[in-house]
Amino acid sequence: MLDVKKIKRDFPILNHYIDGKPLVYLDNAATTQKPKVVIDAISNFYENYNANIHRGIHTLSQKATIAYEETRLNVQKFINAKSYQEIIFTRNTTESINLVAYSWARHNLKAGDEILLSQMEHHANLIPWYELAKEKQITLKYIPLTNDFRLDLSNIDNLLTPQTKLVSLTLMSNVLGTINDLTSIIQKAHALGALVLIDAAQAIAHMPIDVQKLNCDFLAFSFHKILGPTGVGVLWGRQKLLTDMPPFLTGGNMIASVYTDRATFNELPYKFEAGTPDIANVIASNEALNYLNAIGYADIMAHEKCLTAYALDILVKQENIILYGPNNTINRGSVISFNLNQIHPHDLGQVINDSGIAVRAGHHCCQPLMRQFNITGTIRASLYIYNDEADIDILAKTLQSAYKVMGHVVTR
Amino acid sequence: MLDVKKIKRDFPILNHYIDGKPLVYLDNAATTQKPKVVIDAISNFYENYNANIHRGIHTLSQKATIAYEETRLNVQKFINAKSYQEIIFTRNTTESINLVAYSWARHNLKAGDEILLSQMEHHANLIPWYELAKEKQITLKYIPLTNDFRLDLSNIDNLLTPQTKLVSLTLMSNVLGTINDLTSIIQKAHALGALVLIDAAQAIAHMPIDVQKLNCDFLAFSFHKILGPTGVGVLWGRQKLLTDMPPFLTGGNMIASVYTDRATFNELPYKFEAGTPDIANVIASNEALNYLNAIGYADIMAHEKCLTAYALDILVKQENIILYGPNNTINRGSVISFNLNQIHPHDLGQVINDSGIAVRAGHHCCQPLMRQFNITGTIRASLYIYNDEADIDILAKTLQSAYKVMGHVVTR
Amino acid sequence: MSLQDELYKETILDHYHCPRNHGVISGATLKQEGTNPLCGDELTLYIKLNNDTIEDIKIEAKGCSISMASSSMMTEAIIGQKIKNAQIIAHNFKDMMLNKGNDYVFNETNEDLNSLNGVKKYPVRIKCALLAWNTLLQSLEKDEAKAQGE
Amino acid sequence: MSLQDELYKETILDHYHCPRNHGVISGATLKQEGTNPLCGDELTLYIKLNNDTIEDIKIEAKGCSISMASSSMMTEAIIGQKIKNAQIIAHNFKDMMLNKGNDYVFNETNEDLNSLNGVKKYPVRIKCALLAWNTLLQSLEKDEAKAQGE
Ligand SMILES: Cc1ncc(COP(=O)(O)O)c(C=O)c1O
Ligand SMILES: Cc1ncc(COP(=O)(O)O)c(C=O)c1O
């Protein structure tokens, strides 16, 4: 099991006080806090070897280049990619998905083709496809949800058709906590010749990811959700696919030879990294991986399972609570969404915040899912390696005061 | 004048030793070093108020949101934009230009239209237009150079035609140091109904920029070239243009309402900022602006003029040197490119590096310009606020040893 | 004073629980929808004009306490007003909410609005307080544009 | 030992100033262009095959000392070799340059190649040292593919 006390000491912000109260940070699905090693890696870069990379012969530039590429090699290992050439650095998951939409989909899909999504997707895995669908007369289809907030695969053989060219799904819902077993969908999609993109923005924080075992075709995630800095995302893609795709953003670094009217492109992955990248943050991201690797996913998962069970157990007992998400910890991560009857999530979020607890209130970039539930938003408490049972207890206690603060008569 | 000694103390890396030698950093056109206030702003964010922005009600998220938007307001003032809604944060200049190419140009240009560029453009201001030209049968035209390395405007009235829809030019060359007076081109372009994009990636470090006075339509730059962190670029555009443009990257944050098949978009500038931005670095960028403002461009320009004059004076006297760039400091910034006859710039760069001096050797992302000069690259020494005459002296001394190291017989 | 005391003043909670002029005007002169891009809350504003006077106004909405209370107070503040006046009140309110260091105080007639001053400290929620007002201004602008077009 | 001593060893400088097998083969069996994406340096490789033997090889290039020296040494190492052998030598060379901790040492026949080992410390310049070799491998691969296609 995790030594949470020890872990907390690695995160400077958790040892500070916010408005005079110790911070209870339960907004990890939005972004995680950063350990000192990550923060220090950024200063260390700027104070000791800051330089632009890839084309500089001078010592600083070489050091920076080596460190930047070291992160890429570590990412390759982290998700078990076949080659470092399959690892592309972007700004975030959103840009990674847009890259696939602009470069692969825009050049390979045509009117009448279909893309299969699900009803629990994040806007990042919806709007790029809406825009494409409008432009190209592509049909979007959705895997619906079951009553216990999981993908309803009962009709999957009708949803997948020979016209399906892409299946783009989240591996873990950032609202419901649901972890999707995508094995059979991926098999079926491939059997029909469709590609599969996995939005791993949430999943990557909570479970080990092996792209070869998953057998997907693209996978996207952001470092800021796994203890790393903001500004760094990853797109992984099969080398064959990436090789055949045209570049997306163009400019310096992604070229081989430039003439006055045309250019030839650099080899992978540089073909997809135009201009000066977020060098310091890519380098610091390596420390996030090292930190996670040192703890190990086995312990992370065990810790989260216990803590989620504890939280569900306590929350379900709150008066007038409505929970959105599986009520057990099987294939379920530590993201817990709920509402108190009659209280708008913004108001509840404010009441919770006033106790020094950071939760998220709103639609969590999943408006279609909210519409489905006929609500505008939820409160979302999302737990990570530095949270413990005391954090849940404080949250529960605060909930009990909400009706009083909001001037409601509590009705059972 | 600048107190260079005092300024140097603000930059931790300049007080360190590289391979046992003090660092002489003359690669500022690639990226500048960062003052301690910028580096500390990053740690301070992560240690005290790290959170995702814009939709969080909790205290950390509000603090982060306020700080993020504060940078935007400061950028607005810095380039004298009419509204904060015209300031879009991107990763770098390259992405800013791609945004215009994808969102504005792709939707407004058609076969037969023309884009006017120049022969001194950076790949970032070339390849996006090559790609567009290929896709849409658009014609690219180039303003040639004079013998003294400036834009040759003698034929401008023929280059600009009623078909010209965009003029996209650098305000300062990252190879030659030339600063382009774009006043008359902009007037003429507007008279013909063409828009003007300014690549200010280099210029912004060396001169004050006022977008209203320049009277351009788009302007792009990167923070890493003005003492700020990597990962933050800016696109400024006229509000009317940005309002009419479709979004580029899509996903969370850039939407207003999302349905299962369509979305309405957020107001400016958020419409163009999809997903989690590089929050920490945008916030730290504000300190770069504050630092530059405190020094003031008047003093920066005076310092650079003296130092450039000194450098040109010394370099021109070196044996077998070939200088690429105006030989005086009128409309010329502190970027100096040169070669030593018969020595490949890679080799010369290495020799220079071995003396602890960081310069850049290569094509500087300007291959078409290199082809023009019939060379593959140059050595580029680019000076900034922390450089002084001693740095130039060391460089000159090293040049004198180059032929010996490379085993050449020096021929006069 | 704790944040809760400040934000959830009685006045706000009163308007929240019993929103004034809530509902629909059938045959309204103006109808305008508004969305808060941050949370997706939506409202519909109905106005019945009599020449340049806002004879009746109703709002149909589901939202948080701040957005509901602000809408409710707005209807009270502008019902019966000339359009010009309503616009001035709206701009004064926006000024109060958006400008740091602006200590605009509404007089007795509209004193309820002062209770929303505390929202300024929560930048994300300013949008909640402004939703109804922005929708009102948009609606009146459209009407003006139409009138000029005729 | 200073960096300069190490990198600009006499062997390297010798090949740089007097590149072996420099030029064009008219009527070459294979012709392949190569570009170093980092600096834009280009070269053209000409090979004359006699069955599976590299009877003649020439390189036309303008480049930095490392790239010129490496090209020159390569031509010496593979001229007269069977294609298979040339490929093995090329892979050994790439291994030496790319794998950390690989201390591959060429024997007497090709001992000049060992002088390039020092380039490993300058990752950006490894591309310079590899340009000719990658171009060679590409050229031979294409030839094989063509042979199989027939
Ligand atoms: C003139 C010019 N334009 C564009 C760029 C590209 O900037 P970035 O790499 O930050 O996108 C640079 C910097 O290399 C430049 O000097
Ligand atoms: C499931 C899911 N997909 C995509 C995203 C978008 O991530 P980012 O904002 O880093 O692009 C998120 C994070 O909000 C997420 O939870």
Side-chain angles (χ1 to χ4, degrees):
Chain A
M1 287 292 292
L2 298 189
D3 183 345
V4 174
K5 280 226 181 70
K6 187 162 158 284
I7 288 178
K8 271 193 182 174
R9 281 198 297 272
D10 295 335
F11 291 77
I13 201 171
L14 298 178
N15 302 307
H16 291 182
Y17 288 77
I18 311 295
D19 294 336
K21 304 195 188 79
L23 170 63
V24 177
Y25 189 76
L26 301 177
D27 195 16
N28 293 290
T31 198
T32 59
Q33 295 303 334
K34 323 301 175 199
K36 194 161 181 330
V37 284
V38 168
I39 304 172
D40 287 352
I42 300 172
S43 331
N44 181 39
F45 170 73
Y46 287 126
E47 297 192 357
N48 292 296
Y49 60 105
N50 169 64
N52 213 325
I53 55 171
H54 285 317
R55 271 173 317 279
I57 297 184
H58 58 79
T59 306
L60 295 185
S61 178
Q62 305 238 22
K63 276 194 195 171
T65 304
I66 291 170
Y68 182 89
E69 293 301 325
E70 199 93 52
T71 301
R72 201 190 305 275
L73 294 174
N74 215 350
V75 171
Q76 180 199 341
K77 269 188 251 157
F78 197 70
I79 61 171
N80 194 29
K82 269 196 186 142
S83 160
Y84 75 92
Q85 296 196 285
E86 299 181 330
I87 308 297
I88 298 161
F89 289 121
T90 62
R91 177 171 41 240
N92 49 27
T93 305
T94 304
E95 189 189 348
S96 297
I97 297 176
N98 274 273
L99 197 168
V100 177
Y102 272 99
S103 170
W104 179 79
R106 202 140 288 183
H107 292 89
N108 287 281
L109 268 57
K110 51 175 202 316
D113 284 346
E114 296 173 4
I115 296 178
L116 182 59
L117 309 165
S118 90
Q119 283 187 337
M120 61 167 83
E121 298 309 318
H122 187 279
H123 292 163
N125 193 26
L126 291 175
I127 325 288
W129 312 122
Y130 290 6
E131 293 302 291
L132 189 73
K134 251 195 319 205
E135 194 183 310
K136 297 244 174 200
Q137 277 87 53
I138 283 159
T139 305
L140 305 181
K141 293 187 164 179
Y142 295 88
I143 304 176
L145 303 191
T146 61
N147 284 338
D148 61 340
F149 306 97
R150 299 186 185 274
L151 291 186
D152 179 355
L153 298 182
S154 58
N155 197 29
I156 188 73
D157 291 319
N158 291 319
L159 286 169
L160 280 169
T161 77
Q163 281 71 54
T164 311
K165 290 294 172 326
L166 178 69
V167 178
S168 193
L169 295 172
T170 188
L171 191 49
M172 172 174 161
S173 162
N174 65 312
V175 173
L176 311 168
T178 313
I179 293 171
N180 298 317
D181 180 354
L182 300 178
T183 325
S184 78
I185 304 179
I186 292 175
Q187 264 175 14
K188 289 178 179 181
H190 283 168
L192 288 165
L195 299 189
V196 179
L197 185 160
I198 291 185
D199 173 356
Q202 286 299 325
I204 191 111
H206 306 287
M207 55 196 270
I209 296 222
D210 179 329
V211 290
Q212 297 189 57
K213 233 196 208 144
L214 273 168
N215 198 24
C216 52
D217 302 288
F218 296 106
L219 184 131
F221 68 90
S222 305
F223 263 99
H224 71 91
K225 294 196 200 272
I226 47 169
L227 312 181
T230 51
V232 186
V234 169
L235 174 68
W236 167 85
R238 282 186 202 280
Q239 184 149 1
K240 174 76 176 70
L241 289 167
L242 296 175
T243 303
D244 293 345
M245 279 156 60
F248 171 41
L249 300 177
T250 60
N253 194 39
M254 52 71 68
I255 53 85
S257 290
V258 180
Y259 305 87
T260 46
D261 56 346
R262 73 201 155 85
T264 58
F265 303 122
N266 204 339
E267 60 191 23
L268 287 176
Y270 311 109
K271 180 172 93 176
F272 289 106
E273 293 181 8
T276 305
D278 197 345
I279 305 169
N281 283 345
V282 167
I283 289 174
S285 295
N286 206 14
E287 292 305 321
L289 293 185
N290 291 341
Y291 190 91
L292 282 173
N293 283 335
I295 299 184
Y297 272 98
D299 280 2
I300 294 175
M301 287 165 76
H303 168 76
E304 289 188 0
K305 206 173 196 71
C306 288
L307 199 57
T308 306
Y310 183 83
L312 287 174
D313 201 46
I314 289 204
L315 287 174
V316 83
K317 290 184 196 138
Q318 302 299 309
E319 289 182 299
N320 298 301
I321 201 164
I322 308 154
L323 282 156
Y324 302 90
N327 59 11
N328 58 55
T329 58
I330 299 163
N331 273 343
R332 187 205 203 294
S334 53
V335 172
I336 305 175
S337 274
F338 61 88
N339 274 331
L340 289 187
N341 197 7
Q342 298 289 336
I343 300 188
H344 190 285
H346 270 190
D347 291 321
L348 187 52
Q350 191 97 43
V351 171
I352 295 173
N353 176 61
D354 290 350
S355 310
I357 307 171
V359 294
R360 187 124 309 214
H363 54 59
H364 319 299
C365 296
C366 289
Q367 283 195 359
L369 182 64
M370 298 296 127
R371 289 181 200 282
Q372 179 94 349
F373 298 149
N374 205 14
I375 54 180
T376 55
T378 72
I379 297 293
R380 179 183 71 184
S382 48
L383 318 170
Y384 208 39
I385 50 172
Y386 31 65
N387 294 120
D388 55 19
E389 301 185 351
D391 295 342
I392 311 290
D393 294 341
I394 300 177
L395 174 65
K397 200 165 146 232
T398 308
L399 292 183
Q400 287 156 17
S401 73
Y403 284 106
K404 214 180 94 223
V405 176
M406 295 306 301
H408 277 276
V409 182
V410 182
T411 50
R412 278 199 179 247
Chain B
M1 286 295 290
L2 298 190
D3 183 346
V4 174
K5 280 227 182 67
K6 187 161 160 285
I7 287 178
K8 270 194 179 171
R9 282 199 297 272
D10 294 335
F11 291 76
I13 202 171
L14 299 178
N15 302 307
H16 291 182
Y17 288 77
I18 311 294
D19 293 337
K21 305 196 187 79
L23 170 63
V24 176
Y25 189 76
L26 300 177
D27 195 17
N28 293 289
T31 198
T32 60
Q33 295 303 334
K34 324 301 173 196
K36 194 162 181 326
V37 285
V38 168
I39 304 172
D40 287 352
I42 299 172
S43 332
N44 181 38
F45 170 74
Y46 286 125
E47 296 192 356
N48 292 295
Y49 59 106
N50 169 62
N52 213 325
I53 55 171
H54 285 318
R55 271 173 318 281
I57 297 184
H58 58 78
T59 306
L60 294 186
S61 179
Q62 305 238 22
K63 275 194 195 169
T65 304
I66 292 170
Y68 182 88
E69 293 301 325
E70 201 93 54
T71 301
R72 199 190 306 275
L73 295 174
N74 215 351
V75 171
Q76 181 199 340
K77 269 187 250 156
F78 196 70
I79 61 171
N80 194 29
K82 268 197 185 142
S83 160
Y84 75 92
Q85 295 196 287
E86 298 180 330
I87 308 297
I88 298 161
F89 289 121
T90 61
R91 178 172 39 241
N92 49 28
T93 305
T94 305
E95 189 189 349
S96 297
I97 297 176
N98 275 273
L99 197 167
V100 176
Y102 272 99
S103 170
W104 178 79
R106 201 140 289 184
H107 291 90
N108 286 281
L109 268 58
K110 49 175 203 316
D113 284 346
E114 297 173 3
I115 296 178
L116 182 60
L117 308 165
S118 90
Q119 283 186 337
M120 61 167 83
E121 299 309 318
H122 187 279
H123 292 163
N125 193 27
L126 290 175
I127 324 287
W129 312 121
Y130 290 7
E131 292 302 290
L132 189 74
K134 250 196 317 202
E135 194 184 309
K136 298 242 174 201
Q137 277 88 55
I138 284 160
T139 305
L140 304 181
K141 293 188 163 178
Y142 296 88
I143 304 176
L145 303 190
T146 62
N147 284 338
D148 60 341
F149 306 97
R150 301 185 184 275
L151 291 186
D152 178 355
L153 298 182
S154 58
N155 198 29
I156 188 74
D157 292 319
N158 290 320
L159 286 169
L160 280 169
T161 77
Q163 280 71 53
T164 310
K165 288 294 172 323
L166 179 70
V167 177
S168 193
L169 295 172
T170 189
L171 190 50
M172 171 172 162
S173 163
N174 65 313
V175 173
L176 311 170
T178 314
I179 292 172
N180 297 318
D181 180 353
L182 301 178
T183 324
S184 77
I185 304 179
I186 292 175
Q187 263 175 15
K188 288 179 180 181
H190 283 169
L192 288 165
L195 298 189
V196 179
L197 186 159
I198 291 185
D199 173 356
Q202 285 300 324
I204 191 109
H206 305 287
M207 56 196 269
I209 296 226
D210 179 329
V211 290
Q212 296 189 57
K213 232 191 206 149
L214 273 168
N215 198 25
C216 53
D217 302 286
F218 297 106
L219 184 131
F221 67 91
S222 305
F223 263 99
H224 71 90
K225 294 196 199 270
I226 47 169
L227 313 181
T230 51
V232 186
V234 168
L235 174 68
W236 168 85
R238 283 186 202 279
Q239 184 148 2
K240 174 78 178 72
L241 288 167
L242 296 175
T243 303
D244 292 346
M245 279 155 61
F248 171 40
L249 299 177
T250 61
N253 194 39
M254 53 70 69
I255 54 87
S257 291
V258 180
Y259 305 87
T260 47
D261 57 345
R262 71 201 157 85
T264 58
F265 302 123
N266 204 340
E267 60 190 24
L268 287 177
Y270 311 109
K271 181 172 93 176
F272 289 107
E273 293 181 8
T276 305
D278 196 346
I279 305 169
N281 284 345
V282 167
I283 288 174
S285 295
N286 206 15
E287 292 305 322
L289 294 185
N290 291 341
Y291 189 90
L292 282 174
N293 283 334
I295 299 182
Y297 272 98
D299 280 2
I300 294 175
M301 288 165 75
H303 168 76
E304 289 187 359
K305 208 172 196 72
C306 289
L307 199 57
T308 306
Y310 183 83
L312 288 175
D313 201 48
I314 290 205
L315 287 174
V316 84
K317 291 182 198 137
Q318 301 301 308
E319 288 181 300
N320 297 300
I321 201 164
I322 309 154
L323 282 156
Y324 301 91
N327 58 11
N328 58 54
T329 60
I330 299 162
N331 273 342
R332 185 203 206 293
S334 52
V335 172
I336 305 174
S337 274
F338 61 88
N339 274 332
L340 290 188
N341 197 8
Q342 298 290 337
I343 300 189
H344 191 283
H346 270 191
D347 290 321
L348 186 53
Q350 190 96 43
V351 171
I352 295 172
N353 176 61
D354 290 350
S355 311
I357 307 171
V359 295
R360 188 125 308 214
H363 54 60
H364 319 298
C365 295
C366 289
Q367 282 195 1
L369 182 63
M370 297 298 127
R371 288 181 201 282
Q372 179 97 345
F373 298 148
N374 205 14
I375 54 180
T376 56
T378 71
I379 295 293
R380 179 183 71 184
S382 49
L383 318 170
Y384 208 39
I385 50 175
Y386 31 66
N387 293 119
D388 55 20
E389 301 185 351
D391 296 342
I392 311 291
D393 294 340
I394 301 178
L395 175 64
K397 199 165 146 234
T398 307
L399 292 183
Q400 288 156 14
S401 74
Y403 284 106
K404 213 179 95 228
V405 177
M406 294 306 302
H408 278 276
V409 181
V410 183
T411 50
R412 276 195 183 254
Chain C
M1 189 162 71
S2 101
L3 300 175
Q4 300 186 358
D5 293 341
E6 201 178 318
L7 196 57
Y8 297 111
K9 285 192 183 140
E10 269 188 37
T11 322
I12 293 180
L13 290 180
D14 176 38
H15 279 273
Y16 165 46
H17 289 294
C18 314
R20 327 296 197 254
N21 303 303
H22 195 260
V24 177
I25 301 176
S26 57
T29 327
L30 308 175
K31 181 183 166 188
Q32 179 73 38
E33 289 180 4
T35 306
N36 182 344
L38 292 180
C39 63
D41 277 352
E42 291 159 341
L43 61 73
T44 312
L45 172 78
Y46 300 88
I47 285 177
K48 193 186 173 93
L49 289 178
N50 182 350
N51 290 321
D52 59 349
T53 301
I54 296 173
E55 202 175 78
D56 197 8
I57 175 165
K58 279 202 165 30
I59 289 179
E60 214 190 2
K62 254 176 76 178
C64 67
S65 59
I66 305 299
S67 140
M68 294 297 283
S70 185
S71 305
S72 167
M73 292 177 196
M74 182 187 88
T75 62
E76 287 205 320
I78 68 154
I79 197 165
Q81 298 281 350
K82 300 260 176 218
I83 289 179
K84 279 259 158 59
N85 270 346
Q87 284 169 324
I88 291 170
I89 298 171
H91 283 299
N92 285 340
F93 182 77
K94 285 188 74 170
D95 272 5
M96 173 176 96
M97 298 305 292
L98 292 175
N99 293 343
K100 267 188 228 166
N102 175 328
D103 287 324
Y104 190 91
V105 178
F106 285 94
N107 67 17
E108 223 168 291
T109 336
N110 293 322
E111 71 178 345
D112 280 8
L113 290 174
N114 296 325
S115 68
L116 290 165
N117 198 316
V119 178
K120 283 170 77 163
K121 292 210 196 122
Y122 306 89
V124 174
R125 302 204 69 190
I126 291 175
K127 301 254 172 203
C128 309
L130 291 183
L131 176 57
W133 299 87
N134 282 332
T135 312
L136 171 73
L137 287 172
Q138 221 185 323
S139 163
L140 296 178
E141 246 173 53
K142 266 201 206 160
D143 184 53
E144 260 172 20
K146 221 177 86 191
Q148 279 170 1
E150 273 166 8
Chain D
M1 188 159 74
S2 103
L3 298 175
Q4 298 185 1
D5 294 341
E6 201 179 319
L7 197 55
Y8 298 110
K9 286 192 182 140
E10 269 187 36
T11 322
I12 294 180
L13 290 179
D14 175 38
H15 279 272
Y16 166 45
H17 289 294
C18 315
R20 325 299 195 253
N21 302 302
H22 196 261
V24 177
I25 302 177
S26 57
T29 328
L30 307 175
K31 179 182 169 190
Q32 180 73 37
E33 291 181 4
T35 307
N36 181 345
L38 293 179
C39 64
D41 276 353
E42 291 159 341
L43 62 74
T44 311
L45 172 77
Y46 301 86
I47 286 178
K48 193 185 172 95
L49 289 179
N50 182 349
N51 289 323
D52 58 349
T53 301
I54 296 174
E55 201 175 80
D56 197 8
I57 176 166
K58 280 201 165 34
I59 289 179
E60 212 190 5
K62 251 176 78 177
C64 67
S65 59
I66 305 298
S67 140
M68 294 296 283
S70 185
S71 304
S72 167
M73 292 177 196
M74 182 186 88
T75 63
E76 286 204 321
I78 68 155
I79 198 164
Q81 298 283 349
K82 301 259 174 216
I83 289 180
K84 277 261 159 60
N85 268 348
Q87 283 169 327
I88 291 171
I89 297 171
H91 284 297
N92 285 340
F93 183 76
K94 284 188 75 170
D95 271 4
M96 172 176 97
M97 298 306 292
L98 293 174
N99 292 343
K100 269 187 225 167
N102 176 329
D103 287 323
Y104 190 92
V105 178
F106 285 93
N107 65 18
E108 223 168 289
T109 335
N110 294 321
E111 71 178 346
D112 280 8
L113 290 174
N114 295 324
S115 69
L116 290 165
N117 198 316
V119 178
K120 281 171 79 163
K121 291 209 196 124
Y122 307 88
V124 174
R125 303 203 69 188
I126 291 176
K127 301 253 173 206
C128 309
L130 290 184
L131 177 57
W133 299 86
N134 282 331
T135 311
L136 170 73
L137 286 172
Q138 223 184 322
S139 164
L140 297 178
E141 247 173 54
K142 266 202 208 156
D143 185 53
E144 259 172 20
K146 221 177 87 193
Q148 279 172 359
E150 274 165 8

